[in-house]
Amino acid sequence: MSDTITVTTLKASHASLGVILSYLSKREPFSSYSVGALAGAIRLQLETGNHLVALKNEMVVGYAGWMHVTTENAENWLNGDAQLVQTSATQTEAAALTIVVADLKQATPMLIRGARDLNQGVRVVFRRGYETTGKVAKKQSVLNYCGS
């Protein structure tokens, strides 16, 4: 068995939806979420390709999912003043990471870097929540530039 972590997208399918829901349902804060709301968000992320999964020995060890939004919507969401509203691909100004969870510390930066790589040229925003540690949440915003 390899100790290598791989980061990839999943095909949009009922099986993929089940795998991600099963993974998230065993982790706070997602274990207390309504299954309907969580399933809808994950389904949209799978259908749009706006997600990454971290795998180690063919087991899920992390997941990241995001929405394409406007810059104004992203900024208001970061400030706690708005809910995110998905935009069309032609209106995308920002990618808001709505779910980032990892069992292995080294998987977290791999997922965030992967999301940034898939969203070059737009601002990537996320709120860091530390539900299980009691730390104060942080806001993060990074503008991505295409590599030369």
Side-chain angles (χ1 to χ4, degrees), residues 25-126:
S25 71
K26 298 171 188 152
R27 283 142 188 93
E28 287 295 331
F30 308 103
S31 61
S32 61
Y33 284 13
S34 160
V35 70
L38 188 57
I42 302 303
R43 182 187 50 76
L44 181 61
Q45 291 170 348
L46 289 168
E47 288 174 355
T48 58
N50 294 343
H51 72 281
L52 287 168
V53 62
L55 302 169
K56 182 175 180 180
N57 298 325
E58 299 182 20
M59 297 294 295
V60 176
V61 295
Y63 179 81
W66 58 90
M67 293 175 65
H68 287 148
V69 298
T70 64
T71 302
E72 180 181 10
N73 186 213
E75 290 171 0
N76 289 334
W77 175 68
L78 281 175
N79 293 327
D81 297 330
Q83 295 292 318
L84 292 171
V85 178
Q86 179 86 21
T87 63
S88 68
T90 59
Q91 296 175 314
T92 298
E93 299 172 339
L97 279 161
T98 56
I99 301 172
V100 179
V101 61
D103 298 335
L104 302 175
K105 187 176 182 176
Q106 62 268 38
T108 303
M110 294 173 75
L111 289 165
I112 293 171
R113 170 52 62 195
R116 290 180 63 195
D117 288 347
L118 292 174
N119 289 285
Q120 290 187 6
V122 300
R123 186 166 297 281
V124 175
V125 299
F126 53 95

